[in-house]
Amino acid sequence: MPCQTNIELENLLKEAKQYTKMGKVADYIPALSKANPDDLSIAIYYPDGKYVFAGNIEEKITLQSISKVLTLALALIQRGEEFVFSKVGYEPTGDPFNSIVKLEISNPSKPLNPMINAGALAVTHMIEGHSVEERLSNILSFIQLLTGSEDIHYSKEVAQSEFETSHLNRSLCYFMKQHGIIDENVEELLDLYTKQCAIEVNCLDLARIGIVFALGGIDPITKERVMPEYVARLCKTFMVTCGMYNASGEFAVRVGIPAKSGVSGGILGAVPNRFGIGISGPALDDKGNSVAGVKLLEMLAEKYSLSMF
Ligand SMILES: NC(=O)CC[C@H](N)C(=O)O
């Protein structure tokens, strides 16, 4: 088992931290630009409920794109695989997460996968509930279940900041509405999506979610099943093929674990049957992944032979 003590992890973190200088915090969502680019934290959560961490475990970041894998799991539970994949595909795009180009040239005209913005918006559209509030509360309850914490909320400031500036996501929604992928009011869908992306977690929450995926949907504390095994498997597969945007191929070669990143600098990792990993490190590389977070995972992967391939 890797890293049984915080000190072991702190040494790796110290080495990886120098890479924060090579990245920049996201600023296309204005509120995210307030993050500290020098921050870096990590937690590893084991199947027996023990965990180790390094950095500031209290520091919260917003889920951003990490939420895409969680709403995918919830949509699969609520709607089933056949319905979900009638609206989104299974294939990586090789394009940036917010690209519009393949939406037009794909036939049938549906988002290529649920991890790009277009696909995630289509999945959020599927979340059940009679109002934005009820659907958001379903998403929050699911994340509370996965983290084992009631203390999961969203940042109004970050949600508002993204809602006011999401013109590209609006255009993706209108395109999909034209093609019958979604049929709801676009402003309402964006309201829900931006709140979902603004849900706040720390790196321990992420590691706790990671262990549930790593254990195929079993809660490490209660030992109860919190999602069907096939849902956990399907989500982990998308994390491998599309979880790190258009850097997923290189990440699979260098690290080789299912992982999902977000532009807030978070990374959720699941090492099958072994442990969950949560990272927060807001300085991003040019693809939008935490630059020092990826480095830290590369170091861990090499030191403890994490690759599943
Ligand atoms: N890559 C990301 O984390 C993107 C999420 C962000 N909320 C967006 O839609 O642009």
Side-chain angles (χ1 to χ4, degrees):
M1 271 294 182
C3 288
Q4 287 303 309
T5 65
N6 289 345
I7 295 167
E8 222 178 316
L9 207 48
E10 271 157 21
N11 288 335
L12 284 172
L13 185 104
K14 212 184 278 170
E15 209 182 320
K17 213 167 167 166
Q18 54 190 317
Y19 291 93
T20 56
K21 302 268 173 291
M22 295 170 67
K24 283 203 324 228
V25 299
D27 57 7
Y28 77 98
I29 299 173
L32 293 184
S33 66
K34 293 183 184 164
N36 181 354
D38 301 329
D39 279 347
L40 185 65
S41 313
I42 180 168
I44 296 183
Y45 205 106
Y46 295 105
D48 61 2
K50 294 205 179 75
Y51 59 86
V52 287
F53 67 93
N56 183 2
I57 210 169
E58 303 299 329
E59 188 68 33
K60 295 224 177 198
I61 52 164
T62 53
L63 283 172
Q64 299 304 329
S65 277
I66 297 171
S67 68
K68 293 170 178 170
V69 77
L70 310 179
T71 46
L72 173 64
L74 185 57
L76 284 165
I77 293 167
Q78 292 181 339
R79 303 294 196 115
E81 188 175 346
E82 200 179 325
F83 180 79
V84 170
F85 291 101
S86 67
K87 306 284 186 191
V88 291
Y90 294 96
E91 303 305 332
T93 64
D95 299 323
F97 59 84
N98 54 4
S99 176
I100 199 163
V101 59
K102 296 251 167 65
L103 203 49
E104 187 172 16
I105 58 178
S106 305
N107 187 13
S109 192
K110 63 181 190 184
L112 276 180
N113 71 67
M115 299 293 119
I116 50 173
N117 282 11
L121 286 157
V123 168
T124 297
H125 169 63
M126 297 173 200
I127 300 299
E128 284 176 347
H130 297 296
S131 61
V132 168
E133 288 67 36
E134 199 178 312
R135 291 155 82 197
L136 179 65
S137 145
N138 284 340
I139 296 172
L140 282 166
S141 303
F142 184 58
I143 297 175
Q144 285 166 353
L145 182 70
L146 298 179
T147 53
S149 165
E150 304 258 294
D151 188 25
I152 298 289
H153 312 279
Y154 76 94
S155 157
K156 289 198 172 66
E157 186 198 351
V158 175
Q160 184 70 21
S161 177
E162 182 173 8
F163 185 79
E164 283 166 4
T165 52
S166 280
H167 309 304
L168 195 47
N169 283 340
R170 268 185 185 81
S171 64
L172 294 170
C173 289
Y174 280 112
F175 191 93
M176 291 192 287
K177 194 163 177 176
Q178 181 71 41
H179 288 274
I181 304 292
I182 64 171
D183 59 7
E184 73 174 295
N185 178 293
V186 168
E187 293 304 302
E188 276 184 19
L189 176 55
L190 274 173
D191 185 20
L192 178 58
Y193 173 79
T194 51
K195 285 174 177 162
Q196 147 202 329
C197 288
I199 293 171
E200 293 182 307
V201 290
N202 59 33
C203 62
L204 183 59
D205 295 321
L206 289 174
R208 175 69 163 73
I209 298 173
I211 187 67
V212 174
F213 282 108
L215 296 177
I218 303 289
D219 185 291
I221 304 296
T222 63
K223 308 292 177 206
E224 274 170 24
R225 177 163 291 289
V226 292
M227 71 176 80
E229 208 272 331
Y230 93 90
V231 170
R233 180 179 53 77
L234 214 143
C235 290
K236 280 182 288 190
T237 314
F238 277 111
M239 287 161 83
V240 168
T241 57
C242 331
M244 304 297 283
Y245 318 127
N246 46 336
S248 298
E250 186 174 348
F251 186 83
V253 170
R254 296 200 193 288
V255 182
I257 64 166
K260 181 76 204 86
S261 62
V263 285
S264 51
I267 304 178
L268 162 73
V271 186
N273 303 314
R274 292 175 68 190
F275 46 88
I277 305 177
I279 288 182
S280 110
L284 308 179
D285 62 22
D286 57 355
K287 304 260 172 80
N289 292 313
S290 170
V291 62
V294 170
K295 271 286 165 209
L296 188 51
L297 285 171
E298 282 178 19
M299 289 175 194
L300 278 169
E302 192 177 308
K303 191 158 182 202
Y304 300 107
S305 308
L306 301 192
S307 177
M308 30 185 298
F309 301 107

